[in-house]
Amino acid sequence: MKRAIPIFVVLAGLLVAIAVANPFFLEPAGFLAFLKRVAPLAILAAGQYFVIVSGEFDLSVGSLVTVEVVVAARLIDGDEAMTWPVLILLVVIGLLVGLVNGLVTTKLRVPSFITTLGAMLILSGAVFLWTGGAPRGALSQGFRVFGREGVWAVAILVVVVIAAVLLMRADFGRTLVAAGDNEKAARLSGVRVDRVRVFAFVLSGLSAAVAGILLGGFAGVSAQVGQSLEFQAITAVVLGGVVLGGGRGHVVAAIAGAFTLEALFTLLNLHGISGALEYAVQGVIIIAAVAVGGLRLPSLRLSPSKV
Amino acid sequence: MEDINQKRAESAQVILRMTGIGKSFLGIRVLRGIDLSATAGEVHAVVGENGAGKSTLMKILAGVHQPDEGTVEIGGETRSFAHPVEAQRAGVAIIYQEFNLLPERSVADNVFLGREPTRRGLVDRAAMDEATSRLLDELDEHSFGPRALVKDLSVAQQQVVEIVKALSVDARIVVMDEPTAALAEHEVELLYRLIRRLQGRGIAVLYISHRLREVFDLADRVTVLKDGAHVATVPAKDVTTGELVKMMVGRELDAYFPAKAEESAIGEVRLTVRGGGNGKLDGIDLELRAGEIVGVAGLQGSGRSSLVKAIFGAEPFTRGEMTPARPASVRAGVAAGIGLVTEDRKAEGLALNQSVRDNALLVARAIGHRSRTTVSDLLRRVQLAPPRQETEVKYLSGGNQQKVVLAKWLTVSPKVLLFDEPTRGVDVGAKAAIHDLMRELANAGTAILMISSELPELIGMSDRIVVLRDGRVAGQLPAGSSEEAVMALAAADGVAA
């Protein structure tokens, strides 16, 4: 957990800066609006965390979010009665995509970077084919309430955070991290490495489904709704001090990374800096975070044999 | 001691003299007042428990760390190295336990890495090959040539490459850090020959090893460090193993090995293998009983590690019978009550970035076993000191890491515990603790199978010794057999299988 301290300090600093620039932020409505905006990315970051800490990547979540929203709009088409069946279908789609990603990665031994890059392209292509570039249909009010009403979004976020923390404390989480740290040692200790990794991908797919449900209500239906979210999620996780390659980092810190990223975007926005800069900012952050993580101040380390 | 030092030093050309070396990290003193000298053609052993300061001292010599106090003289000149390259230029070569070689490149490429000879701006491969093969010849090494790829070489051959590298930079001081840790018994002999050749060329060899037998085989003088301080420097022929151990640990480890099992303490059969075989093993017959420690001897490649991995289910038997049922996977092995303490604890035993606690609980969590003992009880049982649960295991010494591996298996109380080189790279104190614990487990009814390349350990610990050769059981020997008997059986010199 010590690695996670810097991210909370940075986050606190950014929140103060936002509050200074925009006092409305301190009012319940203002803060709720912020939480509502953060929720989808925070949930995606939690899902991405499971995959990254096990030593893999999931690049497919952005496209998956788009798929979820587009499918929801088309199937619901404004019909309130379809809300719950479609919600269930969306969750199933998320779980299935995650399952396929996981199985291809572990059983066919395709590196997850390639597996999920492929999945990302397949899903984007499918959306394009199905919609011809312009999604049809409309979401129901019952569907949009989750992303639109701050209370709902926050409630879902809280549930996700609690579930993620509990999972990481359970046998699953501990063996997942061990597998990410040293796959061979984990295997020789009886850990079902493939199974825990597949489960991590499934959780990531599930997080994309939930994020898609929130974003559909929050941002509306478009073929770009999930664009580049996979990179935002990875940036958030890395920002939280989670090491690419697996085995190190805390899920709460990864979620805090999502808050920090969103706070940064908010602050840039408040100061009238173009949203177009967001990509560049993310690029700088992801490189800097990994570089700083690699530095780790050698002079502060005692010789290992002293403990 | 001082007198002996001076007399020796004066009789031959002193190449290295480190005087009053002190070093602190973050205000914690790890070395103080260390003196170390070496003369041309001398093998000087540096011994001490893990944490005694051997590595730090060698890193100062290598220019990795800079001393806070004291001087380093090489060839009579006072030197201070700001960078390892400067030390290398001054004639200091270090051969670390983990070799610094590029597996995909040739021997010659590795030897001249970073200082390739050029001709008209291009790398002169012919010159590199020629110089490398000349040095290989000088070392009497003909089993591979300069164009062989390092990844195709055995560990022993890779060590030769490291030595050639040292010779090619005209090293005057060669530091060898646990050079035999990864070698098989018969390769150790070859290393001895190489070291004698280095001596013959007037090179001073600083030899760091936990294996005292090697120290006595090779060294002219021995320097003992303890807790960062210099204990003594003595001619190797003037001390006994017991005296050295006492200097290293500050107490007498009189019972080097715990007592063997009583006849009556050996109980029911815990494991039988009949005609076990797979790609590497054939016709293995083996029986393990509760309460006994069975040693497994054999040369590198004789199938020792394959045997324990087969019993454990990591590389299962494909033929033959086994009770409990032949495990098809690691999980099946663990479920059947079999545990394996692997040979390479960093690569196969531990998740190094995780805490002591998470590592200790890994097996129990993997199989969903709810242990009744608490982690602190476990750590007390394996005598982990200090018993900090939250420390990441990468910061522990080799001995403490091995204790954590043991703790990991104790959580599920295995009926059969397999040990592959249980004390490799472990200091003397921790070694004794691990030996005691193994015997304690046996006395409590665990059947133990132990592989060891260190014959004194194998003979000292085993109630019975199984010797493997070419993937088969070459024979069995009773407790207390001689090293010669074991080696004869392992190498098939005269003794019929």
Side-chain angles (χ1 to χ4, degrees), chain A residues 171 174-175 177-178 181-182 184-192 247-248 299-307, chain B residues 25-26 51 312 314 330-331 342 346-354 358 362-363 365-366 370 388 395 408-409:
Chain A
D171 285 357
R174 303 327 302 158
T175 50
V177 181
D181 190 6
N182 187 343
K184 209 167 177 189
R187 222 180 268 285
L188 287 173
S189 298
V191 176
R192 280 182 281 214
R248 273 179 287 173
S299 61
L300 284 175
R301 271 179 61 191
L302 293 174
S303 95
S305 57
K306 297 311 291 177
V307 179
Chain B
F25 290 108
L26 281 182
F312 181 56
V330 170
R331 289 181 66 83
T342 50
K346 286 187 179 151
E348 300 185 325
L350 295 166
L352 289 172
N353 292 306
Q354 312 307 313
D358 279 343
L362 186 55
V363 173
R365 281 168 170 162
R370 294 281 155 250
R388 286 194 212 119
Y395 297 120
K408 179 174 94 167
W409 288 110

Side-chain angles (χ1 to χ4, degrees), chain B residues 270-384:
Chain B
R270 280 284 161 85
L271 180 106
T272 41
V273 181
R274 291 277 166 263
N278 59 21
K280 289 169 182 165
L281 301 166
D282 193 33
I284 299 286
D285 290 334
L286 188 71
E287 193 176 88
L288 287 181
R289 288 172 173 275
E292 66 174 348
I293 297 180
V294 176
V296 178
L299 305 177
Q300 191 103 322
S302 62
R304 294 174 307 182
S305 296
S306 302
L307 174 64
V308 291
K309 286 197 166 150
I311 296 172
F312 181 56
E315 295 169 11
F317 284 123
T318 52
R319 299 188 293 276
E321 282 164 36
M322 183 172 145
T323 338
R326 219 165 65 191
S329 69
V330 170
R331 289 181 66 83
V334 176
I338 305 173
L340 170 64
V341 176
T342 50
E343 178 178 14
D344 186 340
R345 65 183 157 267
K346 286 187 179 151
E348 300 185 325
L350 295 166
L352 289 172
N353 292 306
Q354 312 307 313
S355 66
V356 166
R357 181 187 169 79
D358 279 343
N359 272 284
L361 291 176
L362 186 55
V363 173
R365 281 168 170 162
I367 63 166
H369 180 92
R370 294 281 155 250
S371 179
R372 260 156 280 136
T373 48
T374 62
V375 174
S376 53
D377 279 342
L378 270 178
L379 299 184
R380 200 170 310 125
R381 234 176 118 194
V382 299
Q383 297 179 34
L384 187 78

Side-chain angles (χ1 to χ4, degrees), chain A residues 28-55:
Chain A
F31 196 67
L32 201 61
F34 174 73
L35 289 179
K36 189 170 76 178
R37 207 164 51 239
V38 175
L41 183 60
I43 291 165
L44 281 178
Q48 189 71 238
Y49 166 83
F50 289 109
V51 177
I52 287 182
V53 88
S54 82

Side-chain angles (χ1 to χ4, degrees), chain A residues 5 27 46 55 60 64 80 146 167 187 196 222 232 245 266 295:
Chain A
I5 294 168
E27 290 171 31
S60 69
L64 184 52
E80 291 294 334
F146 296 111
L167 271 172
R187 222 180 268 285
V196 292
S222 84
Q232 286 191 26
T266 305
L295 281 179

